[in-house]
């Protein structure tokens, strides 16, 4: 009997933990920055517990720290959260099962759990990757948020620790093996250029949505893939 599915599920389990550990550590930055922006410790923890989307949470406290009001902070966080709705449509088939299970999965549908799940080939491994990554980050993120909120003054400028770079590196390690075709490289490069160019001039949330639109358009047209299939070169 083949052990390939079990091997793939163990690999998905390891991938989930490898992404969850550095991502969870980044929660310290959020906890410290949130309290420095004027939020109480309990308000900071409730944001991580209920919103549980790092990008939206940082956008929320960023607007508060810059003097913006609650409606502007909520609008920025909501704009970034739109991408999670797109993830949910894709993860619905991965999670499967009953409606209670799908509703429970909604809380764990974030960038990292979606990326780890879609990086797997076997359906069972995709489910393992999704749940391990989502639950591990949820537990770790909330724990480190509390730690950051309590130790904010002691930690000083948390940006100096480079925790954001650790989380980005884990993501890149997960993405790198998938960049084997010119189409995939074109999607990633186009989205990165759009996000980098528009971040300084647009409100938080819009650069990510623009990058997502570019990725969808480039991926949907599959222009480079068609060229390769018709003899235009390796894809």
């Amino acid at each position: 009997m083949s052990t390939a599915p079990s091997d793939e599920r163990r690999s998905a389990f390891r991938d989930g933990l490898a992404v969850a550990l550095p991502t969870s550590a980044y929660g310290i930055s959020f906890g410290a920055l949130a309290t420095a922006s004027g939020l109480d410790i309990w308000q900071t923890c409730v944001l991580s517990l209920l919103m549980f989307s790092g990008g939206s949470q940082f956008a929320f406290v960023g607007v508060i720290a810059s003097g913006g009001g609650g409606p502007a902070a909520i609008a920025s966080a909501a704009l970034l959260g739109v991408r999670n709705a797109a993830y949910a449509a894709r993860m619905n088939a991965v999670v499967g099962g009953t409606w209670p299970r799908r509703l429970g999965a909604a809380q764990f549908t974030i960038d990292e759990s979606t990326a780890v799940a879609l990086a797997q080939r076997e359906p069972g491994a995709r489910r393992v990757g999704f749940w391990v990554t989502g639950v591990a980050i949820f537990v770790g993120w909330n724990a480190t948020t509390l730690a950051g909120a309590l130790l904010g003054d002691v930690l000083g400028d948390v940006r100096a620790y480079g925790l954001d770079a650790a989380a980005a590196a884990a993501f890149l390690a997960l993405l790198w093996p998938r960049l084997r075709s010119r189409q995939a490289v074109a999607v990633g490069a186009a989205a990165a250029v759009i996000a980098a160019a528009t971040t300084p001039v647009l409100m938080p949330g819009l650069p990510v949505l623009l990058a997502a639109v570019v990725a969808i358009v480039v991926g949907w047209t599959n222009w480079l893939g068609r060229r390769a299939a018709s003899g235009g070169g390796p894809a």
Side-chain angles (χ1 to χ4, degrees):
M1 184 176 69
S2 175
T3 60
S6 296
D7 291 341
E8 291 186 27
R9 293 173 194 185
R10 282 194 289 270
S11 177
F13 188 92
R14 291 192 296 269
D15 287 348
L17 291 183
V19 172
L21 288 175
T23 303
S24 297
Y26 195 25
I28 293 178
S29 296
F30 172 72
L33 290 174
T35 52
S37 301
L39 297 183
D40 295 332
I41 292 177
W42 73 268
Q43 290 174 325
T44 300
C45 291
V46 167
L47 269 181
S48 280
L49 191 66
L50 299 182
M51 187 177 288
F52 185 49
S53 179
S56 295
Q57 292 178 228
F58 278 107
F60 185 91
V61 299
V63 173
I64 295 297
S66 63
I74 293 172
S76 296
L79 277 175
L80 276 169
V82 168
R83 72 191 190 286
N84 289 345
Y87 297 158
R90 182 66 181 87
M91 288 298 98
N92 189 39
V94 172
V95 174
T98 61
W99 277 107
R101 178 187 293 183
R102 295 179 183 180
L103 289 175
Q107 179 68 355
F108 307 114
T109 303
I110 55 177
D111 298 325
E112 292 81 2
S113 59
T114 302
V116 172
L118 296 183
Q120 316 305 320
R121 297 181 178 179
E122 195 262 333
R126 287 187 170 184
R127 285 192 292 274
V128 170
F130 173 84
W131 286 109
V132 169
T133 308
V135 173
I137 292 178
F138 183 80
V139 174
W141 180 265
N142 279 281
T144 55
T145 291
L146 176 60
L150 292 172
L151 302 174
D153 291 337
V154 177
L155 294 173
D157 187 358
V158 292
R159 293 171 295 185
Y161 296 123
L163 296 175
D164 54 340
F171 238 126
L172 183 59
L174 185 68
L175 176 65
W176 194 259
R178 299 176 67 84
L179 299 179
R180 295 176 177 174
S181 67
R182 289 190 299 187
Q183 181 70 15
V185 172
V187 170
V193 168
I194 290 297
T198 57
T199 294
V201 295
L202 296 180
M203 65 182 297
L206 288 180
V208 173
L209 294 180
L210 283 176
V213 169
V214 170
I216 291 173
V217 170
V218 175
W220 187 271
T221 57
N222 195 28
W223 181 65
L224 293 176
R226 286 201 300 268
R227 284 194 62 191
S230 62

